Amino acid sequence: MSSDPYTTALAMFDRGEYFESHELLEDLWRAAPPGEERACLQALIQAAVALHHARQGNGKGARGVYQRARARLETLPTRMMGLDLSELIRALDHY
C-alpha cells in the first residue's frame, strides 16, 4: 500500500472500499485549505458515501449524497488531482 494517503484512498475507492476511502479522504479534506482541491476532496468523499449507501441498500440516501457530489464535481475543472472528473461523473451516473 502506498504511503501517500490520497493515493491509498483512491486505491480503496477503486477496490470498492468506500467507507474506508471516505475516512481517509475526510482527514485530507479537513487539512486542505479552502479552494478547488478542498472542494474536489469533498466531492470524492460524498461520492464514496453515496456508493457506500447504495451498497447498503439505502437508495434514497445514495441519491441525495450523490446529487450533492455531482453538483460539486460540475463546478470543478474536468481534470484535477490526477483524476478525470468528467469520467468520474459518467461512471457514477452509470452506477
Side-chain angles (χ1 to χ4, degrees), residues 7-95:
T7 302
T8 301
L10 292 182
M12 290 173 164
F13 190 99
D14 287 344
R15 288 192 304 265
E17 298 170 10
Y18 304 121
F19 182 80
E20 295 81 358
S21 175
H22 142 267
E23 290 288 307
L24 197 49
L25 288 168
E26 202 165 67
D27 291 340
L28 297 172
W29 171 74
R30 282 191 192 103
E36 287 184 336
E37 185 173 305
R38 183 178 170 94
C40 185
L41 289 167
Q42 187 173 21
L44 293 174
I45 290 164
Q46 290 170 324
V49 169
L51 291 168
H52 177 72
H53 280 314
R55 181 175 284 160
Q56 299 298 313
N58 180 0
K60 182 178 179 181
R63 281 187 296 280
V65 177
Y66 175 62
Q67 288 170 352
R68 291 191 302 276
R70 191 178 203 291
R72 184 164 278 110
L73 287 167
E74 288 176 339
T75 69
L76 298 169
T78 57
R79 294 194 61 80
M80 70 176 297
M81 297 184 72
L83 299 172
D84 181 338
L85 298 182
S86 59
E87 180 56 35
L88 176 61
I89 290 169
R90 280 191 291 278
L92 292 169
D93 281 349
H94 179 72
Y95 186 86

